[in-house]
Amino acid sequence: MSTRKIASKIASNRTRPLAAALLVALALPGFAMAQTAKEVELEARVAELEKMVQQLVSQQSQHQVQITEVRSAQVTAPATAASATAGGKPAIQASSILPGGNPGTRFSYGGFIKLDASVTRTNDGDIADGSVGRTFYLPKTIPVGNGHSKESGTDTDMGAQYSRFWFAADTDLDSGDKLRGYLEFDLFGGGSTAFTGNEIATNTYALTMRQAYVSWNGWLAGQTWSNFQDTAALPDAVDFVGPTEGTTFVRQAQVRYTRGPWSVSIENPETAITPFNGGMAQIAGDDGAVPDVIARYTAKGAWGHVGVAGLVRQLKYQNGPAGISSSATGYGVSVSGKVNLGSNDDLRYMVTAGSGIGRYLGLGLNNDAVLDATGDLENIDVVAGFAGWRHVFTPKLRGNLMVSVAQYDNPTDLTGLGITRSATSAHLNLIYSPLPKLDLGAELIWGKREIESGDSGELNRVQTHVKYSF
């Protein structure tokens, strides 16, 4: 090969530094040589070098592609993760952590740990040991004389049984439908045995189901808050409920359909009955054939919300051995809501009135109906309500003032004079949050229950809590 051809080969590879350097180093001796017998050998060596150079270039190109792919993955991975959490919403799990769950199901868990401590003084006898009235404000447990001890009682109680947790499984189906399963529990089930459930040693409490339902788009089936209750209107109380006597408060099994501001439900029927001349005694009647029917309308805006609910139900009592089968119709209406008064204040309220709806109010403060001497049912009428004002002093400190009342119209010729005629309470609290999700609260509670005889009993309580939500 001529020196010109060799130089041309070198020039054609100048973009390949490694190849050019090798060619120059090996070909330079040929520039000083004439065409000899060794030229053939030189050409063979050059051809072999060209083959080696092509292999090196190919390997270098493959290596560069691999580097580019790795760098691309490193750059795009954070962007993918960021997009998965766009809008502050967690990404759908790549695989379900529920073995039997739908693909793409999101699983969530939450609740709170809560310590309640209270000091209670009553003026007409002690609230019974072990009674729920010892751990939260339950007006029906306020002692009223009527032959009982007139001595005052003071009790201190502490417990963590109102701690709560919940599970939820949410699925967005390919059809666009929303499917959810929800379970909620607390530890308010009482002691599991006679030994472990008392306050002598372990203070063990049993698991209690609060809610368990499945929802699909606007449909809901299972146990949850009654459609007659407006949980969004409940005050910010330290006590378990707060203004109990004026509050609708029922969780029960139901089927509900919601569309826009409207919701309609059919719910589990149960009748709370006062025996003839039975005072505060109660018969739980599960004889109804017709479910309770409830409709609600809720309007919402930046100003807050207002809801109107109506209830129609069958009251039923049967006593086979006595040959008694009696029924009546109960009905009621409830108006409730929350009004925002600027950025630091709001007003919450509820007013409920009806006939034969006693079990929906005040955690069963009074019954739905009373039996006459022949076993027929007669409704008990009621008007009840509360108002609560909430003020935020600082981002960490807020306070609430609440008043509540319930008034019953008992047919005393049937019920006797030992039945509750009215209950009233007032609550004042401060809640301090030194850390996010941690509340330290203290509430002053005054309550009064009056029976039809005119006798009454009062309760004064300091209720405190430490509550950590997660």
Side-chain angles (χ1 to χ4, degrees), residues 218-234:
W219 289 97
L220 180 148
Q223 175 166 306
T224 187
W225 297 107
S226 170
N227 197 27
F228 197 57
Q229 179 176 346
D230 183 1
T231 56
L234 293 178

Side-chain angles (χ1 to χ4, degrees), residues 169-245:
D170 292 276
T171 305
D172 297 330
L173 301 176
D174 293 340
S175 61
D177 295 338
K178 307 289 186 180
L179 186 63
R180 158 171 263 226
Y182 184 82
L183 292 167
E184 183 180 271
F185 304 88
D186 63 19
L187 308 176
F188 184 43
S192 55
T193 71
F195 297 101
T196 61
N198 57 44
E199 298 183 20
I200 295 174
T202 60
N203 289 267
T204 301
Y205 295 91
L207 196 68
T208 305
M209 183 188 78
R210 290 170 53 87
Q211 300 188 69
Y213 64 82
V214 59
S215 62
W216 171 65
N217 290 344
W219 289 97
L220 180 148
Q223 175 166 306
T224 187
W225 297 107
S226 170
N227 197 27
F228 197 57
Q229 179 176 346
D230 183 1
T231 56
L234 293 178
D236 188 9
V238 173
D239 180 74
F240 180 67
V241 180
T244 308
E245 57 271 287

Side-chain angles (χ1 to χ4, degrees), residues 235 243 245-246 348 385-389 401-405 424-427:
E245 57 271 287
R348 309 177 192 204
F386 71 80
W389 170 55
L401 174 63
M402 299 161 268
V403 293
S404 178
V405 63
T424 309
S425 69
H427 309 248

Side-chain angles (χ1 to χ4, degrees), residues 251-296:
R251 290 190 303 268
Q252 60 190 4
Q254 61 191 269
V255 176
R256 184 190 303 184
Y257 179 70
T258 302
R259 185 179 180 86
W262 291 96
S263 59
V264 179
S265 63
I266 55 174
E267 306 188 10
N268 182 59
E270 180 81 5
T271 306
I273 303 166
T274 299
F276 176 64
N277 204 27
M280 289 297 293
Q282 183 182 86
I283 300 172
D286 193 16
D287 303 315
V290 180
D292 295 0
V293 180
I294 301 169
R296 171 174 289 276

Side-chain angles (χ1 to χ4, degrees), residues 228 230 233 246 248 296-297 305-310 332-338 348-353 384-386:
F228 197 57
D230 183 1
T248 59
R296 171 174 289 276
Y297 177 83
H305 82 275
V306 61
V308 180
V333 63
S334 183
V335 179
S336 58
K338 173 185 172 183
R348 309 177 192 204
Y349 63 91
M350 182 180 293
V351 178
T352 305
F386 71 80

Side-chain angles (χ1 to χ4, degrees), residues 13-31:
N13 289 281
R14 63 179 178 271
T15 60
R16 300 168 181 171
L18 179 58
L22 289 171
L23 285 171
V24 170
L26 294 172
L28 280 177
F31 285 107

